[in-house]
């Protein structure tokens, strides 16, 4: 993490973002206060039997930030650094992300303070099932629908779905998304984030006068989101992928390389580093590579006020959550770089999660072509709405995305009225 990113309480950041947009929208104090408070927070402390026969008590959270627009949606994170304020912030950001792509959802997030890298599969299963049982009173297809996040995956979702279903006495696939296909998961979910990001890049490039066909692309973080974005930009939009990286380092070839071959190399060797015909670059250098499109797809806080001035891309598409710090954002804007903010650029994942839930509820499943066609429509329309909002309010895309999202949430609050 960059020095200037340390000691920032994420929930304070989330509330500050609300204030900025509330000023722009001239919101009254009542609505402003509603938007700065999570609706419901559950803390659970629960014992888990470890492999050595001892019991350990774990703490978990589930925060449902705002449900004015529909049931809440958001991932569950397993990490030693989970805090209630982090979960609150993430649940707020999920609220805005769902609203910016106009899904009929509010936002939520969950987490357990634990160290999954040092737990056996059996311990993780018992942890997951007990946590699922503890939060069961407040989740469900009509109420709050969890999904995978950091160090949770489709297996975790399968355990939650099973635990919840056992308590109900019948199968409830729509209680979580990100499930294996055999349990009611959706076609296309695995690549949805990268694919959605590539669609948004295509739309933004057309507005910014940047050619994707033959244009150069650098991707920091060649994981799920980053590698899929690179593959689609290469295969479908004919861009040149000139630089990619992972936690072990990066590679560069100004002539471009085939991202599928890089993926194969990474599968075989564990890293993109050493790919034939490439020159090694560091993760810092990759951000400053001369290219048309930069896709930060690794960690948060990568573009800071120290390197923002050195960014040479014309478009920065945030596949990762929170890769750009606020000071850096200002610099990028002043340099005339088009930033596609995370809540828009990586919303393809939650969009196909929404499709998964819709398919589960209908008990009728779509093919991959259908899923991708609908995803393309959502991402294209959402980009157009963010762009229009940016022009209307004379703000950059990040603020525009927040304005659009928060306006939608406020509209729902107002038209519903305050109970009783
Ligand atoms: P992943 O674990 O599949 O990939 C992350 C990649 O980043 C890996 O290749 C890893 O080696 C690399 N990495 C780690 N540390 C790095 C460093 N210091 N420098 C450069 N690369 C580094 O994860 P993912 O699912 O692709 O998620 C990546 C980002 O996208 C995260 O911020 C995540 O929150 C966000 N995101 C993902 C999804 C999704 O559906 N996968 C949805 C929304 C947002």
């Amino acid at each position: 993490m960059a020095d200037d990113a340390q000691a920032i309480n994420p929930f304070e950041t989330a509330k500050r973002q609300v204030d900025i947009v509330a000023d722009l929208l001239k919101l009254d104090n009542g609505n402003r206060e509603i938007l700065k408070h999570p609706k419901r927070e559950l803390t659970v402390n629960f014992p888990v039997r470890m492999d050595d026969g001892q019991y350990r008590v774990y703490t978990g959270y589930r925060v449902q930030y705002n449900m004015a627009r529909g049931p809440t949606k958001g991932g569950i994170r397993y990490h030693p650094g989970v805090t209630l304020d982090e979960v609150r912030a993430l649940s707020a950001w999920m609220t805005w992300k769902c609203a910016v792509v106009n899904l009929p959802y509010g936002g939520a997030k969950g987490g357990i303070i634990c160290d999954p890298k040092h737990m056996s599969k059996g311990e993780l299963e018992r942890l997951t099932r007990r946590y699922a049982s503890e939060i069961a009173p407040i989740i469900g297809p009509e109420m709050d629908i969890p999904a995978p996040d950091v160090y949770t995956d489709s297996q975790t979702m399968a355990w939650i779905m099973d635990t919840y279903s056992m308590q109900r006495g019948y199968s409830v696939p729509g209680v979580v998304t990100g499930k294996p296909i055999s349990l009611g998961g959706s076609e296309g979910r695995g690549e949805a984030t990268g694919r959605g990001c590539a669609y948004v890049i295509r739309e933004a490039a057309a507005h910014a006068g940047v050619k994707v066909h033959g244009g150069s692309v650098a991707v920091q973080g060649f994981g799920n989101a980053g590698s899929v974005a690179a593959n689609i930009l290469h295969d479908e939009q004919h861009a040149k992928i000139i630089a990619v990286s992972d936690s072990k380092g990066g590679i560069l070839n100004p002539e471009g390389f085939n991202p599928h071959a890089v993926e194969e190399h990474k599968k075989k060797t564990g890293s993109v580093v050493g790919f034939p015909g490439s020159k090694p670059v560091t993760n810092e250098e990759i951000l400053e590579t001369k290219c048309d499109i930069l896709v930060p797809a690794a960690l948060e806080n990568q573009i800071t006020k120290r390197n923002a001035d050195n960014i040479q891309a014309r478009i920065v598409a945030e596949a990762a959550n929170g890769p750009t710090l606020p000071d850096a954002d200002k610099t990028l804007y002043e340099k005339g770089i088009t930033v596609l903010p995370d809540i828009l650029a990586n919303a393809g994942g939650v969009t196909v999660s929404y499709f998964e839930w819709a398919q589960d509820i209908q008990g009728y499943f779509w093919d991959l072509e259908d899923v991708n066609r609908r995803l393309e429509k959502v991402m294209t329309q959402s980009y157009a709405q963010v762009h229009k909002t940016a022009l209307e309010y004379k703000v950059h895309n990040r603020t525009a995305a927040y304005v659009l999202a928060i306006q939608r949430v406020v509209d729902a609050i107002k038209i519903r009225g305050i109970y009783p």
Side-chain angles (χ1 to χ4, degrees), residues 94-376:
M94 279 307 297
T95 308
W96 319 139
K97 190 181 295 190
C98 290
V100 84
V101 284
N102 215 1
L103 307 181
Y105 281 148
K109 205 79 183 191
I112 303 179
I113 306 168
C114 65
D115 190 359
K117 284 190 176 167
H118 294 108
M119 295 174 74
S120 70
K121 190 167 180 192
E123 288 171 343
L124 282 171
E125 177 171 355
R126 294 192 290 278
L127 175 93
T128 301
R129 288 185 179 279
R130 181 64 187 248
Y131 170 74
S133 158
E134 296 287 343
I135 65 165
I138 64 160
I139 62 170
E142 291 166 339
M143 196 173 188
D144 178 17
I145 306 115
D149 192 63
V150 176
Y151 293 126
T152 55
D153 57 16
S154 58
Q155 173 64 79
T156 321
M157 296 306 113
W159 289 329
I160 296 177
M161 178 270 187
D162 184 68
T163 303
Y164 187 86
S165 299
M166 285 298 127
Q167 293 190 351
R168 289 291 174 283
Y170 53 90
S171 289
V172 189
V175 65
V176 283
T177 61
K179 296 179 297 295
I181 298 259
S182 56
L183 270 190
S186 179
E187 293 290 347
R189 174 64 187 88
E191 64 165 30
T193 302
R195 178 171 281 282
C197 186
Y199 289 142
V200 176
I201 290 171
R202 183 189 67 195
E203 298 301 304
H207 275 128
V210 173
K211 267 201 166 152
V212 182
H213 195 127
S216 52
V217 179
V219 180
Q220 187 202 41
F222 200 66
N224 174 319
S227 67
V228 172
N231 287 342
I232 290 164
L233 287 168
H234 174 270
D235 299 351
E236 297 180 14
Q237 300 183 36
H238 313 289
K240 249 193 331 185
I241 312 301
I242 63 160
V244 301
S245 69
D246 57 34
S247 57
K248 304 212 170 89
I251 53 170
L252 172 79
N253 179 350
E255 297 307 310
F257 28 59
N258 180 337
H260 299 283
V262 178
E263 225 177 338
E264 281 307 308
H265 177 81
K266 185 173 157 92
K267 259 190 215 142
K268 267 193 233 139
T269 66
S271 172
V272 299
V273 175
F275 181 70
S278 71
K279 181 179 149 228
V281 283
T282 65
N283 260 306
E284 290 72 42
E285 285 164 348
I286 207 152
L287 297 172
E288 300 175 12
T289 303
K290 185 163 173 36
C291 60
D292 295 308
I293 298 155
L294 172 67
V295 184
L299 307 171
E300 64 280 7
N301 307 333
Q302 295 301 298
I303 305 180
T304 69
K305 67 178 176 209
R306 272 177 302 167
N307 62 6
D309 210 26
N310 303 334
I311 305 286
Q312 302 188 61
R314 297 185 59 199
I315 294 176
V316 174
E318 297 181 343
N321 280 316
T324 311
L325 286 173
D327 284 345
D329 221 13
K330 198 163 160 274
T331 308
L332 298 183
Y333 184 56
E334 284 163 5
K335 279 165 70 81
I337 296 172
T338 300
V339 176
L340 297 169
D342 49 7
I343 62 167
L344 171 68
N346 69 33
V350 71
T351 300
V352 177
S353 267
Y354 161 59
F355 294 164
E356 177 177 336
W357 173 81
Q359 292 170 81
D360 289 337
I361 286 174
Q362 294 174 70
Y364 179 74
F365 289 86
W366 316 339
D367 61 23
L368 180 60
E369 206 177 276
D370 214 357
V371 169
N372 287 345
R373 186 177 47 78
R374 292 175 197 249
L375 172 64
E376 182 173 9

